[in-house]
Amino acid sequence: MCIGVPMKVIRPGSGYAVCEAAGESREIDMRLVGDQPEGTWVLVFLDAAREVVTSEQASLIGNALDALRLALAGSTEGIDELFPDLAGREPELPPHLQIHLTSS
């Protein structure tokens, strides 16, 4: 399984760009998404950008990855802050699955 990591373009180039996330910078293959200007967020899999994302999407993905790190370390402290839209409420099925509950 491969997990995509949001990274920010800090030095664009031709076909490649230096991108940064969590204080680490790496040269990323940009050929699948095209050359992107400085400040663009991309979702990176195995040192290749696969998708251009908004800063909001990058933040949500980063929060989910931080929560995964906490869970793998055996801690749940701080997870609610990473998912403010979910904390403090009962989980809900999406509408396309809710219809199956009433039709049974």
Side-chain angles (χ1 to χ4, degrees):
M1 182 171 91
C2 185
I3 294 177
V5 177
M7 298 188 82
K8 190 175 193 176
V9 175
I10 58 171
R11 195 171 66 238
S14 181
Y16 288 85
V18 175
C19 297
E20 182 179 65
E24 177 188 352
S25 62
R26 296 197 312 249
E27 189 173 86
I28 302 299
D29 183 340
M30 301 294 283
R31 292 177 290 182
L32 290 174
V33 297
D35 294 336
Q36 299 296 319
E38 182 178 342
T40 301
W41 284 93
V42 291
L43 196 55
V44 175
F45 296 80
L46 300 172
D47 288 336
R50 304 288 171 97
E51 183 178 346
V52 175
V53 296
T54 66
S55 60
E56 292 81 16
Q57 290 170 312
S59 179
L60 290 172
I61 294 165
N63 285 351
L65 292 174
D66 289 343
L68 178 60
R69 282 185 202 91
L70 286 172
L72 289 172
S75 174
T76 59
E77 189 172 329
I79 286 183
D80 283 351
E81 289 79 30
L82 297 171
F83 298 106
D85 57 327
L86 300 175
R89 69 175 178 90
E90 287 296 315
E92 296 176 17
L93 288 173
H96 71 281
L97 293 178
Q98 286 178 8
I99 62 170
H100 296 290
L101 293 177
T102 58
S103 62
S104 300

